[in-house]
Structure formats: C-alpha cells, structure tokens
Amino acid sequence: MLVTAEQTEFPKKQHQGLKFYQYVIRALLIAIGVTLEAVALEIFLVPNKIIDGGVVGISIMVGHLSGWPIGVFLVVINLPFFIIGYKQMGKTFTITSACGVTLLAFLTTLFTPIPRFTDDLLLAAVFGGIIMGIGVGLVIRNGGSSDGTEILAVLFNQKSPFSVGEIVLFVNIFILGSAGFVFGWNYAMYSLIAYFIAFKMIDITSEGLESSKAVWIISDSHEEIGDALNDRLGRGVTYLNGEGAYTGNNKNVIFTVISRLEEAKVKNIVDSIDKSAFLAISDIHDVKGGRFKKRSIH
C-alpha cells in the first residue's frame, strides 16, 4: 500500500504558553535584576573606574572617553546583536532582552547623580561584583539578557571550534585588558576581581544555591545498593537496563539524585557493598518532579 504525504500528516500539538500572571512575575524579576545592575554600575563600579565584561564594559570605556552617558552606548552597541540574533534566540527572548537593555540604559542615566557608596576600590569591586552578578543572574533566570556578547558568541560558535563559554571568556578578557589602557592597570586588575565575583554570583543566582548531583551506579549487587540508598539516605532510586558493549552481558544501572552533602555517604555505601562497582557522579543544575524530595529517615 502506497502512503501519500497527505495521509501521514498528524495534528500539531498545541503548546500552552505562560499564563498572564507568570509573565508579570518574570517581567518584575527582570526589572529588579536590571535595577540591581544599574545600582552596581553607577554607585559602585563606574565612579571608581572599575568595569564589567561584555557590552557593559565597552560602554563604560567609550562613555568615559566621549563624556556621554553609558546608557546611550548600552542601547547603541547592544541593538545590532539583538537584531542579528533574532532568528537564533526567538522573538520572546529578543523583545525581553531589548526591553531589559532599554531599562538598564534609563536607570544608569537616572542613577548617575547619586554619589558613589565607597571610595575603597577593593570594596567597590567586591560589592559591585556581587550586586552585578545577582542582577544579571535574575535576568538570565527569567529568560532575558542585558548583554549582546553572548548572542555574538552563539553565532560565532557555529563556525568556529570554540564553545560559547570560551568565546565569551576570550571577549571579556580582551575587554577587561583594554581597561588598563583607558583607566590604568590598577583599575584593570580591580575590574578582573569584580568580573570574577559577578561571574560566580550569576551562577549562584541563575542556578540556585542548592547544587544537586546525578548518580549512576553499575553493580551486580544493584538491589542491595538501591535498598541501602533508599533506607539510609531516604532517596528514591530507579533501575535502568543496560548492556555491556564489550561483553554483551546485561547490566543493571542504578540512577538517583542526591544533594552535594550526600556525595561522601553515597560513596561509602557503594564501597561497603561492592568495591568493584562502577560509580559516576555529575553536577546537575535543576531538578523538577519525580521523587527527588527527600523523605524522612528514622
């Protein structure tokens, strides 16, 4: 029987979008994040000639050299990146990010007359980096961006052997190094401190403080190990069917998710039951659903 293209068409699934109140909450959190970025820039970093990476860093240096507000350059420099990245990132991301950048430009101009909080360069770098990282993390966590360099990195990544992270790091090192020629090398070194603190705070804010770990265990004593993990940790486990590529033998794989603090206990449990068991543990950034929530242990 010949099957035509018309006969093989399937009805498209209708995907539910976010509800209105969810859009409002996201927009509010992005606005809070952008406000924190503006506070970090205008009250801690810019008055002390400390820059951040990406378009923000370029805007600070160009604004310093030209005497114009950095908000102007935040919009002018970011705009082409968002237009170019429209097809890659989608309409929602592009519009959200463009609104975030516009708000950041407005707030930095609004906060410019506010006197700097401290003259101490180290304090300015540390607290400016912390506040900046929290702000950027909130924006990223809620589906936006206030910097076009990541979009540029995604586009370059398609035609280069480097990852997005490597491209972003290279661009930012170049920008932060340029601060030495504009402001002096002492300020460039403080800028590096602020950048790495902000980088870490972005991870903490966007991914959460509780880092979870995925665990895979291959052992002939899989049931005993699974029961021990269940009883002694209160974690649910899943048994997966596997096959050794070399031997062709069937293998039972234990999969579970634990907290960072339980890693040592898992290793002890596995080692006490089967010293030859294969154990792999990796970081995961988000867990939802299932029985991840730990039950009480008595």
Side-chain angles (χ1 to χ4, degrees), residues 58-262:
I58 297 172
S59 300
I60 293 172
M61 288 188 288
V62 177
H64 173 76
L65 294 172
S66 66
W68 286 29
I70 66 170
V72 174
F73 300 104
L74 284 171
V75 174
V76 171
I77 299 173
N78 267 310
L79 189 60
F81 293 139
F82 291 130
I83 293 174
I84 294 170
Y86 177 83
K87 291 183 179 180
Q88 294 292 329
M89 303 300 177
K91 181 173 69 174
T92 302
F93 173 85
T94 304
I95 294 174
T96 302
S97 300
C99 290
V101 168
T102 304
L103 179 60
L104 180 60
F106 170 75
L107 291 176
T108 52
T109 305
L110 185 67
F111 293 166
T112 299
I114 300 175
R116 56 185 166 188
F117 195 81
T118 179
D119 294 325
D120 188 300
L121 293 179
L122 182 59
L123 289 176
V126 171
F127 285 95
I130 290 172
I131 297 171
M132 189 74 180
I134 293 172
V136 174
L138 275 174
V139 173
I140 292 173
R141 189 177 182 122
N142 290 280
S145 174
S146 54
D147 198 300
T149 51
E150 290 187 5
I151 298 174
L152 182 67
V154 170
L155 297 176
F156 272 108
N157 170 252
Q158 298 173 352
K159 297 181 179 179
S160 73
F162 302 105
S163 68
V164 172
E166 288 170 339
I167 295 171
V168 170
L169 181 61
F170 174 78
V171 171
N172 284 331
I173 288 175
F174 175 77
I175 293 169
L176 292 166
S178 301
F181 296 99
V182 178
F183 298 116
W185 295 107
N186 280 347
Y187 295 106
M189 288 186 281
Y190 281 112
S191 297
L192 278 171
I193 292 173
Y195 171 74
F196 284 113
I197 291 173
F199 186 81
K200 187 61 180 176
M201 290 305 300
I202 290 170
D203 283 346
I204 292 173
T205 306
S206 61
E207 296 170 4
L209 286 168
E210 296 183 5
S211 73
S212 302
K213 292 182 177 287
V215 180
W216 292 268
I217 305 165
I218 302 175
S219 171
D220 292 331
S221 305
H222 62 279
E223 290 187 1
E224 189 178 352
I225 294 174
D227 290 342
L229 293 174
N230 207 321
D231 295 337
R232 293 168 61 182
L233 290 183
R235 295 293 184 188
V237 299
T238 300
Y239 296 124
L240 308 172
N241 294 321
E243 180 181 332
Y246 180 72
T247 63
N249 296 332
N250 291 329
K251 298 286 184 181
N252 290 291
V253 182
I254 302 169
F255 175 76
T256 188
V257 177
I258 61 173
S259 71
R260 177 175 53 85
L261 299 177
E262 293 169 326

Side-chain angles (χ1 to χ4, degrees), residues 7-25:
Q7 291 172 308
T8 58
E9 288 182 356
F10 296 97
K12 292 183 178 179
K13 289 185 178 180
Q14 297 296 322
H15 297 284
Q16 265 191 329
L18 294 176
K19 296 180 180 178
F20 177 73
Y21 77 90
Q22 291 175 311
Y23 279 113
V24 172
I25 291 172

